[in-house]
Amino acid sequence: MGKHRVVQWATGNIGTYALRAVIEHPGLELAGVFVHSAEKAGRDAGDLAGVGATGVAATADADEVLALGADCVLYMPRYFDVDEVSRILASGANIVTTRGEFHRLEDIDPEVRKQVEAACQQGGSSIHSTGSSPGFISEALPLVLSSIQRRLDRLAIAEFADLSRRDSPGLLFDVMGFGQAPGEFDEGRLSHGKTSFGPSLNLVADALGMPLDGLEASGDVGTSAKPVHIAAGTLEAGTVVAQRLTVSGLRGGREVMSFRATWYCTADIEQDWDIRATGWHVAVEGDAPLDIDLRFPIPMERMAAVAPAYTANRAVNAVPTVCAAAPGIRTTADLPQIFATALG
């Protein structure tokens, strides 16, 4: 079987990492690159990815990209465009995306689902959403862990992110609210948490034959008794230095699945929280209980350079599986296990 011809659609942080992975992948061939800015158009893909010249020039012309007849598009733009996605699929190209719109069929807007499924049938193509979180940690790993269970009482996924070395004052202070007086967790962020991780919890529950009755989201903040100095600035004593968001899946009146994200600028807080190093913790309660820590063994100063790999690599590795799938919107529960091929 020949190489799968791949287009990289958008070259932001994750997209650039994926582009480099495609260029270096012995089983994939870079067919084209779609970019949104005039500054990037015309540049060699290798230049954009920080590797050697490839002879493939980036373009801002979608028609030009679609005319390439690629097997798969790695779709990674900042904003979702259903008409754009439909055009790609109708052209015959499959899509692997790190965007979160397609993790569970029942959670897709009915009109969007109808349009995308029609495009898949027209092009004989499929689309799959994946990444690290949601994706790997909220779907792929739980489904693998369930293979040694015959009774599952509770599945709890926890994500931890130390933001103390992130020099992004606008994001941390203005958007996330670090350094501000503690108060109620923003309802918009709670809703976003349910939208982001609820589909994954429902997907896993459905696949295991224990559908959820509903979802709940909650959030709380942590404070420090003393000033905290981080890369982005200083957080004064008594202000928000940590926060966590929990999405719970309920069945029979009790929590059977949960996803909790804990973001912190220091672990030295006044509240009694379980704060761990950047990474994930998965707890399984059942007849084969498990307690698993997945840590990122990377110095914090290198995290920004390495972190995109956790999201981009799974998408790149999914290309052959998605290309082989039946036409339609394909979830983690639909597809065979995704694994790395031709590692080098």
Side-chain angles (χ1 to χ4, degrees), residues 21-342:
V22 170
I23 292 171
E24 296 175 346
H25 196 300
L28 302 178
E29 176 187 341
L30 181 67
V33 181
F34 178 78
V35 294
H36 291 95
S37 70
E39 292 77 12
K40 292 182 178 180
R43 292 175 59 185
D44 189 279
D47 180 33
L48 294 174
V51 296
T54 63
V56 176
T59 179
D61 186 337
D63 290 333
E64 182 180 335
V65 171
L66 295 179
L68 294 170
D71 298 304
C72 189
V73 169
L74 287 167
Y75 185 76
M76 301 177 179
R78 180 175 299 179
Y79 302 107
F80 172 66
D81 185 329
V82 65
D83 292 330
E84 190 173 70
V85 165
S86 298
R87 283 190 66 203
I88 296 170
L89 293 168
S91 76
N94 300 284
I95 293 178
V96 179
T97 180
T98 50
R99 295 200 51 81
E101 283 79 11
F102 299 98
H103 281 274
R104 180 174 180 258
L105 295 181
E106 293 79 2
D107 291 305
I108 304 172
D109 178 276
E111 289 303 314
V112 170
R113 177 178 174 181
K114 181 180 179 181
Q115 180 175 333
V116 170
E117 287 182 330
C120 288
Q121 292 305 312
Q122 180 179 343
S125 52
S126 60
I127 180 170
H128 174 61
S129 286
T130 192
S132 60
S133 178
F136 167 75
I137 195 62
S138 58
E139 298 170 9
L141 184 61
L143 289 173
V144 169
L145 297 179
S146 74
S147 67
I148 59 171
Q149 310 293 324
R150 278 311 307 154
R151 190 192 77 246
L152 179 65
D153 299 323
R154 183 170 178 266
L155 169 71
I157 304 164
E159 181 172 286
F160 299 91
D162 181 349
L163 304 177
S164 61
R165 298 294 184 89
R166 182 153 187 171
D167 190 8
S168 303
L171 172 65
L172 269 60
F173 301 151
D174 301 332
V175 177
M176 299 187 71
F178 285 103
Q180 298 181 13
E184 294 296 320
F185 215 79
D186 180 75
E187 284 296 326
R189 294 182 65 194
L190 293 179
S191 177
H192 179 70
K194 288 176 67 174
T195 300
S196 297
F197 294 98
S200 289
L201 296 182
N202 270 311
L203 174 79
V204 172
D206 291 346
L208 300 182
M210 47 183 293
L212 302 176
D213 299 328
L215 296 168
E216 291 182 351
S218 61
D220 47 353
V221 298
T223 56
S224 173
K226 56 187 178 182
V228 175
H229 304 286
I230 62 175
T234 297
L235 310 175
E236 299 298 336
T239 64
V240 175
V241 299
Q243 49 189 290
R244 61 186 184 184
L245 181 150
T246 305
V247 180
S248 301
L250 308 177
R251 179 176 169 83
R254 68 181 184 88
E255 181 188 271
V256 294
M257 293 190 180
S258 69
F259 178 89
R260 169 175 284 172
T262 300
W263 306 282
Y264 62 97
C265 297
T266 177
D268 184 14
I269 66 174
E270 296 178 290
Q271 292 71 22
D272 184 19
W273 291 7
D274 176 17
I275 297 183
R276 307 188 183 202
T278 296
W280 295 300
H281 175 255
V282 182
V284 180
E285 299 173 14
D287 60 348
L290 296 166
D291 188 274
I292 302 168
D293 273 320
L294 296 172
R295 302 186 183 92
F296 300 169
I298 305 160
M300 290 305 298
E301 56 269 20
R302 291 190 59 229
M303 184 60 70
V306 177
Y310 294 99
T311 296
N313 286 350
R314 181 170 172 83
V316 172
N317 288 334
V319 167
T321 302
V322 175
C323 286
I329 301 169
R330 297 293 160 226
T331 71
T332 300
D334 297 326
L335 297 175
Q337 183 171 319
I338 292 169
F339 55 91
T341 59

